Amino acid sequence: AQVWRCQVGRVPLYLLDTNIMENHPDERNVTGGLYAGNIEDRLRQEIVLGIGGVRALTALGLDPMIYHMNEGHCFLVALERTRALMKKHGLDFKTARELVRASLVFTTHTPVPAGNDVFDIGLVERYLRPYVDEIGVPWQEFVALGRKNPRDEGEPFGATVFAIKNSAFRNGVSKLHGEVSRDMWRDIWPHVPREDVPISSITNGIHIPSWISDEMAELFDRYLGPKWKEDPDNQKVWERIDEIPDAELWATHQRRRERLVAFARRRLHRQLASRGAKTKDLQRAMETLHPDALTIGYARRFAEYKRGLLIFRDIERLKAILSDRERPVQLIISGKAHPRDNEGKAIIQRIIHISREEPFKDRVVFLEDYNMNITRYLVEGVDVWLNNPRRPMEACGTSGMKATANGALNLSVQDGWWVEGYRPDLGWSIGNGEVYDNLEYQDHVESKAIYDLLEREIIPLFYDRGLDGLPRGWISMMKKSMRTLCPVFNSNRMVEEYTDRCYVTASLTLKPLVAEGYKNARQLVKWKDTIASRWAEVAVLDMSHEGGDEVSVHSEMTIRAEVKLGAISPSDVSVRAYYGTVDDAGNLSAAKDVLMDHMKEMGKGVHLFETRITCDTTGRFGYSVRVLPSHPSLIHPVDMGLICWA
Ligand SMILES: *Cc1c(COP(=O)(O)O)cnc(C)c1O
């Protein structure tokens, strides 16, 4: 493969390309398209990306300390790095894998099972067996790393599973998506409660200077100073939004809406012309939309879960809303369907069809070939950004953040980032985050919620003008939204979180493992093997508490556990009390976890552990005790797969 270098600002982006003369025509086409047609082509692409990617960096003389895998497609980075470390430093597989895991960050993006690649073992074997044999890992051991349940011979090979098992840092891209991911992958840690599944979340953010209009950037320069670019996650900087005079902010926004309308007309004209439309229709295209009307934007990939047709569900009601002469409302929609997603294509067809009929003809425009240029015009010019995915399918959703930074207000389902961003004074929420079994009913309720919000809140607020023609209430909400959301949902905050929580922690973990010719890494592997071989003896023999079964609020209570560790030293485990309220089904909920102190050895490998907990609230409580391995180099002790519950 050849490597292209593309300079993106200060960041070099390397692109792999198999289209070279020396390759067989089949191979030349491997990097020919973003979404490969079938699963085999996909695996071929992923081999080029994962294994080829690491080799390309090596060929370029680059030797990164930390790798970050974005989505499961590059899962083979983990294996190729392991192979390279083994070869270069004469390490065994397990030791090299420890080092790779400690320095690998994995971000998952897809809450939909179908979005996570799964391969038949036979297919994986055909492509990877010689490579795995060369590394010297037994085939079954390798395959087990791609299975949620390593003992299930029938389970196919999951790219995401492999990525999770070979990285010590894993995260989803919003708080809700973190929860969804912990749920989706919890089978990998069968004895661990859902909330303790070691997948965290780092909410995405946008690079604000890349997504706001020049006009808005000028306003920010003038009133916020240069720090909005350099230090955008600083709350103080954004508080100065209030210093922008209402009239000036509104004039800036109006100008961008006019630009959007002009852009939409040109695109519509071009779309119609390319289909050989009549002159009359072409002329009309240039007069469609109104530069002053309340403009709602909606743009996305038209996957089914995004529900592109939701706002058209009650067509008569939408008609009434859009064709109000006093308070006009218009809709600009853009999107693309996956080339093989016929359902997505049908949704687009339907929208285009509606947009050609009266009275939608002047009020609804569909822009084809959604791309970043269209996004820019849209997010810079709309008043309201609409997003109505089926919760919790939207992992994060960043276009709403782009719109926010330009002063648009969000009207969105409580999904992805909007769960964290929404407040009643910052925008609107379609429903309250309910999840429905009956999808038809859900669409009914949520489309109704959209119309209700438009009729009762959004349209009245937008058209509530003073003598000076300014919608003061609306502008005040724009300012609050920008002031509150911009300092959080930006890429500086996001990269800082990755740096602090992943990259720095990884390098601090890695350093001692690498020192003295990988001495500690080898010892860690040996320690893990020893603990695993002795774990069968571990048992919680008894647990008890002091002070009877009724305790008063705010009092303290002592919990004791007698734990059999056998040949394992108490310093190699952590014994933890796990306590919380007991629900109707007798399960612990909202459980907390505290480390218990080692008090004394009671003989025959049995030890006494103790801790004090405070009883903060009234109600029924329960506790349990669990034992986990403990070692300074373990980032997530549960990853060892050893846990003993009372
Ligand atoms: C921002 C953007 C996306 C991603 O939008 P989400 O809201 O995160 O789904 C997709 N395509 C284009 C062209 C974009 O600009």
Side-chain angles (χ1 to χ4, degrees):
Q2 58 186 338
V3 183
W4 296 85
R5 175 182 161 139
C6 171
Q7 194 63 32
V8 185
R10 284 177 294 179
V11 182
L13 167 69
Y14 297 105
L15 300 158
L16 298 175
D17 178 6
T18 57
N19 188 14
I20 52 173
M21 290 295 282
E22 296 91 314
N23 286 342
H24 184 272
D26 253 12
E27 297 160 348
R28 291 181 65 162
N29 202 30
V30 168
T31 54
L34 182 55
Y35 297 107
N38 59 49
I39 196 74
E40 178 163 354
D41 289 341
R42 217 158 224 256
L43 181 59
R44 289 154 63 102
Q45 286 189 329
E46 294 182 8
I47 288 170
V48 172
L49 177 63
I51 300 176
V54 174
R55 289 189 186 175
L57 292 181
T58 308
L60 287 159
L62 299 170
D63 184 15
M65 188 173 183
I66 315 285
Y67 277 73
H68 189 156
M69 298 193 291
N70 204 36
E71 199 65 309
H73 311 305
C74 47
F75 72 102
L76 284 166
V77 162
L79 193 58
E80 174 60 14
R81 285 195 71 211
T82 310
R83 190 196 66 85
L85 275 178
M86 289 169 75
K87 196 162 168 209
K88 192 166 170 199
H89 303 288
L91 300 170
D92 60 286
F93 178 71
K94 277 185 170 173
T95 308
R97 185 169 166 260
E98 281 303 330
L99 294 162
V100 167
R101 255 174 50 83
S103 55
L104 202 46
V105 182
F106 171 57
T107 301
T108 171
H109 290 257
T110 320
V112 193
N116 291 276
D117 295 325
V118 170
F119 304 105
D120 279 339
I121 301 295
L123 181 67
V124 179
E125 182 156 21
R126 190 139 53 82
Y127 279 93
L128 289 174
R129 184 75 193 239
Y131 174 72
V132 171
D133 285 349
E134 183 209 312
I135 296 173
V137 202
W139 179 249
Q140 284 310 324
E141 198 177 311
F142 165 73
V143 169
L145 292 172
R147 283 178 173 146
K148 287 184 270 187
N149 176 2
R151 277 174 289 277
D152 180 358
E153 297 277 314
E155 188 180 326
F157 189 97
T160 305
V161 176
F162 191 88
I164 287 174
K165 289 193 174 185
N166 288 286
S167 57
F169 302 86
R170 318 122 178 150
N171 69 285
V173 291
S174 69
K175 287 197 174 105
L176 179 63
H177 180 234
E179 265 175 51
V180 171
S181 305
R182 287 191 283 281
D183 222 27
M184 246 175 106
W185 304 109
R186 61 184 299 198
D187 292 351
I188 297 175
W189 300 268
H191 303 293
V192 173
R194 177 185 319 223
E195 61 272 21
D196 290 342
V197 166
I199 301 177
S200 66
S201 70
I202 293 179
T203 304
N204 282 341
I206 57 149
H207 183 246
I208 295 176
S210 294
W211 290 108
I212 61 170
S213 64
D214 293 344
E215 290 89 338
M216 195 56 81
E218 259 170 48
L219 261 195
F220 288 173
D221 281 341
R222 202 137 25 95
Y223 290 95
L224 275 53
K227 278 200 170 166
W228 73 269
K229 262 189 212 154
E230 295 155 11
D231 192 15
D233 52 340
N234 182 341
Q235 193 94 31
K236 283 265 173 299
V237 173
W238 294 97
E239 279 169 11
R240 294 207 210 145
I241 287 270
D242 289 344
E243 287 166 28
I244 306 177
D246 284 358
E248 215 171 327
L249 181 60
W250 190 246
T252 303
H253 176 62
Q254 291 264 64
R255 208 167 311 136
R256 287 313 314 184
R257 189 184 326 95
E258 284 160 22
R259 296 282 298 274
L260 166 61
V261 165
F263 171 78
R265 286 172 177 169
R266 283 198 306 275
R267 296 279 306 206
L268 182 63
H269 185 276
R270 211 171 74 195
Q271 284 168 202
L272 290 171
S274 75
R275 295 211 176 77
K278 295 193 204 83
T279 318
K280 185 168 65 74
D281 285 330
L282 290 176
Q283 274 167 355
R284 192 157 170 190
M286 295 313 283
E287 285 165 13
T288 194
L289 301 174
H290 194 290
D292 292 326
L294 170 58
T295 306
I296 302 171
Y298 181 93
R300 56 212 60 254
R301 212 164 34 80
F302 274 83
E304 199 274 336
Y305 79 87
K306 298 264 196 184
R307 294 191 292 179
L309 288 172
L310 195 69
I311 196 166
F312 298 102
R313 204 162 187 278
D314 185 343
I315 203 94
E316 292 306 319
R317 201 160 163 196
L318 183 67
K319 235 179 227 176
I321 291 171
L322 296 195
S323 50
D324 187 317
R325 280 175 178 278
E326 299 291 308
R327 304 186 301 178
V329 178
Q330 57 198 8
L331 204 50
I332 307 180
I333 301 172
S334 183
K336 231 183 202 169
H338 187 284
R340 286 188 312 279
D341 178 6
N342 289 326
E343 218 169 320
K345 284 186 206 160
I347 294 172
I348 291 178
Q349 280 308 315
R350 174 92 186 109
I351 295 174
I352 291 177
H353 181 78
I354 293 171
S355 72
R356 288 197 187 137
E357 286 180 0
E358 298 292 356
F360 298 115
K361 220 167 169 175
D362 296 329
R363 300 266 189 263
V364 178
V365 169
F366 184 86
L367 305 178
E368 293 166 12
D369 302 322
Y370 178 41
N371 60 24
M372 285 182 15
N373 191 39
I374 294 185
T375 307
R376 286 214 169 82
Y377 273 98
L378 274 171
V379 297
E380 289 171 7
V382 296
D383 300 293
V384 172
W385 190 258
L386 174 67
N387 188 24
N388 50 26
R390 220 182 268 297
R391 177 179 153 121
M393 307 288 258
E394 181 96 291
C396 181
T398 53
S399 33
M401 302 176 192
K402 300 171 191 170
T404 302
N406 284 287
L409 298 174
N410 286 275
L411 165 59
S412 168
V413 164
Q414 294 262 312
D415 197 9
W417 79 286
W418 196 232
V419 178
E420 293 156 61
Y422 169 70
R423 252 177 33 194
D425 55 339
L426 306 180
W428 296 277
S429 166
I430 304 166
N432 293 307
E434 301 87 350
V435 173
Y436 298 79
D437 290 331
N438 183 338
L439 302 184
E440 190 59 31
Y441 179 68
Q442 175 183 17
D443 290 354
H444 170 74
V445 171
E446 292 183 346
S447 63
K448 196 170 162 298
I450 294 176
Y451 304 131
D452 287 347
L453 284 168
L454 282 171
E455 289 168 351
R456 290 177 200 163
E457 298 186 28
I458 300 174
I459 299 169
L461 187 67
F462 184 84
Y463 284 108
D464 180 14
R465 305 295 167 103
L467 288 174
D468 54 9
L470 294 178
R472 297 276 181 182
W474 188 276
I475 296 169
S476 152
M477 204 157 163
M478 279 171 81
K479 285 183 171 176
K480 254 188 243 168
S481 155
M482 292 162 98
R483 195 177 65 201
T484 316
L485 302 174
C486 289
V488 181
F489 300 99
N490 65 70
S491 49
N492 285 56
R493 188 271 311 146
M494 173 183 77
V495 173
E496 252 173 49
E497 272 193 64
Y498 277 112
T499 306
D500 295 346
R501 287 169 48 190
C502 304
Y503 309 148
V504 171
T505 313
S507 59
L508 291 178
T509 316
L510 191 63
K511 230 173 171 177
L513 291 177
V514 170
E516 294 177 61
Y518 303 96
K519 193 176 111 214
N520 290 325
R522 287 180 227 264
Q523 274 175 0
L524 177 64
V525 170
K526 220 177 274 166
W527 178 87
K528 278 184 158 186
D529 283 345
T530 309
I531 297 293
S533 69
R534 294 176 179 170
W535 194 258
E537 288 187 77
V538 176
V540 180
L541 302 180
D542 188 36
M543 59 178 190
S544 60
H545 59 276
E546 239 175 27
D549 285 347
E550 278 188 20
V551 286
S552 43
V553 179
H554 300 313
S555 66
E556 280 201 335
M557 191 173 96
T558 300
I559 298 178
R560 292 209 173 90
E562 280 175 33
V563 180
K564 182 166 175 240
L565 294 176
I568 297 176
S569 151
S571 62
D572 286 336
V573 296
S574 67
V575 178
R576 318 188 67 93
Y578 188 77
Y579 66 101
T581 47
V582 178
D583 64 18
D584 293 341
N587 296 317
L588 287 177
S589 62
K592 285 188 198 156
D593 169 275
V594 283
L595 188 65
M596 301 180 78
D597 298 318
H598 181 244
M599 305 307 286
K600 62 176 182 194
E601 163 143 33
M602 304 168 79
K604 293 189 180 154
V606 178
H607 300 259
L608 181 68
F609 291 84
E610 203 177 282
T611 193
R612 293 175 74 75
I613 59 167
T614 48
C615 307
D616 289 330
T617 53
T618 55
R620 278 181 75 205
F621 283 80
Y623 66 89
S624 185
V625 169
R626 59 177 170 182
V627 188
L628 281 160
S630 170
H631 188 283
S633 294
L634 290 185
I635 292 160
H636 299 294
V638 290
D639 282 349
M640 272 181 72
L642 306 174
I643 186 166
C644 173
W645 287 90

